[in-house]
Structures are given as C-alpha cells and as structure tokens.
Amino acid sequence: MEEDPDASESDASPVASSPPARPDLAPRRPSPSNLAVALLSLLSLSLGPLTIAPPAKADGLGRVKASATLRYGSDMEGGGPYAYPDPRSPREVTGFEVELMAMLGKELGVAAEFSQGQWDKLLQVLSAGRIDAVVNGYEWTEARAREYAATRPYYVYQLQLLAPKGSPVASWEDLKRPRPDGRRWTVGVLVGSAAERFAAEDGGSAVDVIPFDGSTDAMLAVQNGQSDATLQDVPAARFYRDRYPGLASAGPPVSRGYYVIYTRAEDASLRDALDRGLAGLTASGELRRLYEKYGIWTEAQAELDAFSGPIEVASGDGVARGWRLINQYSGLLLDAAKVTVILATCSMPLAMAIGLVVALARLHGPRALQPFLTGYVELIRGTPLMLQLYVLFFVLKLPRWVAGIGGLAINYSAYEAEIYRAGLQAIPAGQMEAALALGMSRGMALRRVIVPQAVRIVIPPVTNDFIALFKDTSVCSVVTLVELTKQYSILANSTGGALEFALAAATLYMLMSVPLSWFSRWSERRLAGDLKGGEA
C-alpha cells in the first residue's frame, strides 16, 4: 500500500451519472486516558509519516499475461452466492463471482485461479503480492480506493434486514424505536462490512451492533434467538433464505453501495483491463444473465450501465498515516485491549482452579473417577479452541461473554491439569509419608505440604500459559467479542494502516505480558524465601 498513489488515466476519467462518493464513516471513539495515550506514543518515534511500500513489480497486466494466470483472492467461508464449494463437486469452487472472474479471465486470455483467504485480510494478502486482485463482495470505500486501484462497480448492493418470523421488527425503522424491555436491539452483521458501518451510524443508541466472522453465523444467531435481527447484503439474504426458514425479510432493502474489484495501486493497467472486461459484460447482457442465474438481479443493477469507469476519489488530504492514524483510533484499540484483559484475567484463574482439582483427583481421588478425568483432558486438548467456543455459543446458546470466558477456561484447564500433575509428581513420596506420620490427614497434607511445593515448581509454565492466553483471546471473535487482534484486523482492513496498527497491537500485548513475567520471577523468589525460612 502506498500513500496517495498517482491516479491513472482511468482514475481521472469522469463517471457518467455516477453518484458522489461518500466519505467513510469515522467511528466514534471514547477519550482514552492520558496514561494509555502516553504508552501508545512510544510508537510515534519510529512511525512518523510511515507508509507501507510494496517492492517494485512488473506491470500488472503484463505479469498476468506472462503467467497466463489471474490469481484472485476470495473467502469460501463467507459462502454463497459469492464463492462456495460446489455441491456437485465439493473440491471445486462455484459462485457468481467465481463465474464472473472466469469470464474476465477469458477476456484477458488467461485462466482465472481462485485463492482462498480470510475475508477481512484479503487486501493485506493483495498488498503482499500473493494475489493479483480481490473480489469477494468488497464494497467501494474512499479509504480503500486511495490505497488500491478499484474497477467500476460490478454489482449494486443493498442491505436487507432479516428477523424471526412473527418478530415485532417489521423494518429497519422499527429498530430506531426503544425496545419494550428497555434493552438495546441486537443486530448481527458481517465484521468490517458496509452493513456494520451502516448499522453503527444509522441505528443510533437503540441498536447494539454485533460483528460476526461469517454471514451465516449472524443468521444462525438470529434463528437461535441470540440476536434480534441481522443486516445482510441482498445477495446473501436471498441465497440463504431457504436454509434459515425461521427468518423473513423485514421491510424493503436499505442503503446501497457498489461491489468492485481491487488491484494494487501500481497495477492500474490490470485494473483498466478488468474494467474494460466489465464494461463488455455489462453491455452484452452477460452480466445480467449471470445474476439472474443466481437469483440476485435487482432493479438497482440498471445503474451499472451509467458507469463509464471507476468511481472517482474525492479530493482531499486522504487517510492519516503513522502516529496520526494510531492516535485517531487509539480509543478503539484501548477498548479492544480491555476486552482482551477481561477475557484473560477472568478465564485463567478458573482454568488454574479447574486444572488443580483435576490433577489432584487424578492422583489422589477415587479410582472410578480417574478414567473420566483422563478423558476430559484428552478431549479438551485434542479439539480446537474455536470448535469448543462454537459449541458453547451456537449449540448451547450461552451469552457471548460466558461462552468466551468459559471456553478459554475449559480449554486451558486441560493444559493446567497436566502441568499441576507434573508438579505434584515431582514432590518426593516421602513428603506425604512424613506428613501422615506427624498425624496430618491426607487432605491437610496436600494443602499444607504437597500443593505449596508443587505450586512453586509450576509457576514458570503456568505464567507462560497465562501470557499465551492473552494472544489466544483472539479466537473469541467467533463468539462476536472484538478483542485486540480482531480490532487490529478491522482497522487495518478499513484504513489500510496494517503496519501501524500491527505495531500498536504488539505494543499493547507487550504491556500486558511483560508485567506477568516480572510477577512470575518475584513469586518464585518470594516462595523460595518462604521455604528457606520454614526449613530454618
């Protein structure tokens, strides 16, 4: 990504009947504390007017033609009708965008090749030079258009509100009225999407916007009763209406915008070639036939004929960079860091307590219980944390904070149980025998003699797990909790400041983990001193 790249001739060309470009919606941010801002300001010395400049590459169109392959990034997790596994041949990918890129590849005389990537990181993959273009329901925004070369729109999207059948929510306007029970309406959206920005701005204080990693996750949450409604792009809403029969469209579509194909800014020749291809498909009617095939043609698509080139970027100073960019969004970063701290500090004590109980029960508990505890440890260690969170949130339908904290605690308890078991087994058997000989009960001997020594032994590995847990909180985005890593991803995707926000997030993670290392060393010295004093 480059800072304000020079526009190509196609950039400067006028747009026939093109609506004025709307500036990005600036997210509201709370005022951060002076201390937190001072900590983040450590980055300003190294950032300054930082930009991310990709290495020089050959002409984009020439490179694609030379390789005879047009690699485009998309995400099958987002599902239909964009790109999804073909039911008739699951190893193949289908979708209206997959077919669109095949058509454009044919126009260029090359083969279009699908490349899987996480939706909210596709532009970063593009900047890294791994792919030639991004096409996955990516909306045109001014911030993105300043960083990347965008084609003319290939689809005019609108947003459709979906609510449970029989719900009091009959349209988007109903969500602007107070909820009868006094709480806020909860609306699920795809994270980083136009629906999220629209809902946050237009919904006001009556709407709590819940970001999901996938459109289908948001729909499932509404059908489960975990959200009041979901706001989806019309193509996704139409494609999945049969899968979720409990949902119905609530009112007419709202808002509107444009899907475009993005290439790197220096690949304007490739963008222009794709633009010409889209113009030809629109004029020939092939684009309409493709959309009718997938049931996503709407009257709004008639606007596509009015475009003679890419949407122009409004003149202005562009997006801030370096320290200015971090300072602008520091409130959001700090809020996300608070979520990370809450998740880690609430789940780790639970994990340690559960782990210690499991370890003690396996070594000193009833024999009949030990196989079940061993199975618990192996089951939790043998399955991914994301899957465990998914079960807690979508299957058991626990509240997101309960699912997030509980999922982390359960997952880490299995690892802590093995650490404590190793620590307990490291204590010589003679310690227990001596305690029993002195008249202590087995329980008292464990509390007074065995466990305190084992705790001292396991402090380093437990602290290491605690530090690792801070990073593993990033998986909690699957239960709609926006912690530090997810907020970094959102901001990097929406502003293009990938390196700035990566450094800011790394700094905040360091501020969380370094004190734990200090505490670990202090605790070891303190316990070592207590033990020596007891021996004396």
Side-chain angles (χ1 to χ4, degrees):
M1 289 171 283
E2 295 179 308
E3 193 171 26
D4 291 324
D6 294 333
S8 67
E9 292 181 0
S10 180
D11 283 319
S13 61
V15 180
S17 303
S18 174
R22 193 174 68 164
D24 288 344
L25 305 175
R28 295 172 294 176
R29 60 180 179 91
S31 299
S33 64
N34 292 334
L35 175 59
V37 172
L39 293 173
L40 281 177
S41 66
L42 294 174
L43 294 171
S44 62
L45 295 176
S46 60
L47 289 175
L50 181 65
T51 59
I52 306 171
K57 297 183 177 70
D59 170 71
L61 180 59
R63 185 181 64 251
V64 168
K65 285 185 174 291
S67 65
T69 303
L70 173 61
R71 288 175 54 85
Y72 65 95
S74 187
D75 185 6
M76 286 188 287
E77 184 181 0
Y82 306 93
Y84 58 99
D86 190 340
R88 296 166 297 183
S89 179
R91 293 183 182 274
E92 302 296 326
V93 184
T94 188
F96 86 90
E97 289 179 335
V98 175
E99 294 194 31
L100 172 61
M101 293 306 291
M103 293 177 180
L104 292 174
K106 185 178 180 181
E107 293 285 328
L108 298 180
V110 300
E113 181 180 302
F114 175 90
S115 178
Q116 170 65 27
Q118 187 172 327
W119 188 84
D120 57 356
K121 293 182 174 60
L122 287 174
L123 290 177
Q124 297 175 45
V125 177
L126 176 65
S127 296
R130 305 289 183 179
I131 53 179
D132 302 307
V134 167
V135 52
N136 195 205
Y138 257 72
E139 306 94 352
W140 185 95
T141 67
E142 187 166 337
R144 290 172 181 165
R146 289 184 183 277
E147 298 293 328
Y148 302 92
T151 66
R152 71 179 62 206
Y154 65 86
Y155 190 84
V156 181
Y157 73 85
Q158 293 175 287
L159 304 176
Q160 179 63 59
L161 185 68
L162 300 175
K165 292 180 179 178
S167 168
V169 179
S171 69
W172 177 256
E173 294 301 317
D174 289 342
L175 296 178
K176 298 180 180 180
R177 304 184 183 96
R179 186 169 163 163
D181 59 7
R183 294 185 299 165
R184 301 170 70 188
W185 299 100
T186 53
V187 178
V189 296
L190 177 65
V191 63
S193 66
E196 181 179 19
R197 294 191 294 272
F198 174 82
E201 181 194 52
D202 196 69
S205 59
V207 174
D208 184 13
V209 181
I210 309 297
F212 286 82
D213 287 341
S215 297
T216 54
D217 291 341
M219 296 179 196
L220 179 60
V222 177
Q223 184 160 279
N224 286 345
Q226 296 166 290
S227 299
D228 296 312
T230 179
L231 193 62
Q232 298 290 335
D233 290 8
V234 166
R238 289 190 174 189
F239 186 83
Y240 287 111
R241 57 189 169 190
D242 293 335
R243 180 185 294 187
Y244 302 98
L247 305 184
S249 298
V254 295
S255 186
R256 67 191 294 134
Y258 309 101
Y259 291 161
V260 297
I261 302 173
Y262 286 104
T263 67
R264 285 179 290 276
E266 65 269 23
D267 288 346
S269 60
L270 175 59
R271 185 275 312 274
D272 293 341
L274 293 171
D275 205 71
R276 290 191 295 271
L278 289 173
L281 294 175
T282 303
S284 67
E286 289 185 76
L287 203 58
R288 174 167 184 163
R289 288 191 290 273
L290 175 63
Y291 295 164
E292 288 176 340
K293 172 183 174 181
Y294 284 89
I296 60 173
W297 176 265
T298 64
E299 295 180 358
Q301 306 314 311
E303 187 181 350
L304 296 175
D305 293 327
F307 287 93
S308 61
I311 300 174
E312 292 182 351
V313 178
S315 60
D317 295 333
V319 181
R321 280 290 172 262
W323 168 243
R324 287 177 55 208
L325 182 63
I326 293 176
N327 186 54
Q328 181 179 354
Y329 292 96
S330 59
L332 292 175
L333 287 170
L334 293 173
D335 283 348
K338 291 176 187 175
V339 174
T340 296
V341 170
I342 292 172
L343 286 170
T345 55
C346 290
S347 60
M348 192 60 185
L350 290 174
M352 294 168 62
I354 297 172
L356 179 58
V357 170
V358 171
L360 288 171
R362 289 183 68 185
L363 294 175
H364 302 283
R367 287 185 177 274
L369 195 60
Q370 293 176 11
F372 296 99
L373 295 175
T374 301
Y376 168 82
V377 171
E378 296 305 325
L379 174 65
I380 299 302
R381 290 198 305 173
T383 54
L385 172 57
M386 179 178 290
L387 178 60
Q388 295 164 14
L389 289 170
Y390 192 93
V391 170
L392 292 175
F393 186 70
F394 289 105
V395 179
L396 300 182
K397 303 177 183 179
L398 297 178
R400 55 178 179 167
W401 278 101
V402 175
I405 293 173
L408 289 169
I410 292 172
N411 182 269
Y412 268 74
S413 69
Y415 297 95
E416 302 316 300
E418 291 300 278
I419 291 175
Y420 278 117
R421 188 166 69 92
L424 292 168
Q425 290 178 324
I427 307 303
Q431 296 276 354
M432 174 65 78
E433 296 170 358
L436 295 176
L438 291 173
M440 292 186 184
S441 66
R442 182 171 291 273
M444 179 179 291
L446 286 172
R447 292 195 306 273
R448 298 288 183 86
V449 179
I450 306 300
V451 171
Q453 296 181 74
V455 167
R456 176 177 175 271
I457 294 172
V458 303
I459 283 178
V462 168
T463 303
N464 186 64
D465 276 357
F466 198 3
I467 294 172
L469 178 59
F470 275 94
K471 272 74 78 178
D472 278 351
T473 57
S474 60
V475 186
C476 288
S477 61
V478 75
V479 296
T480 73
L481 291 171
V482 181
E483 40 59 60
L484 185 55
T485 297
K486 192 62 179 181
Q487 189 62 263
Y488 150 73
S489 180
I490 293 171
L491 294 177
N493 182 46
S494 61
T495 67
L499 183 55
E500 291 96 326
F501 290 119
L503 290 173
T507 300
L508 290 171
Y509 276 122
M510 285 292 294
L511 292 174
M512 298 174 198
S513 60
V514 169
L516 288 176
S517 299
W518 294 341
F519 175 76
S520 173
R521 289 192 288 270
W522 175 84
S523 298
E524 289 183 74
R525 291 195 299 268
R526 177 70 180 270
L527 288 173
D530 289 346
L531 288 174
K532 289 180 180 178
E535 292 173 357

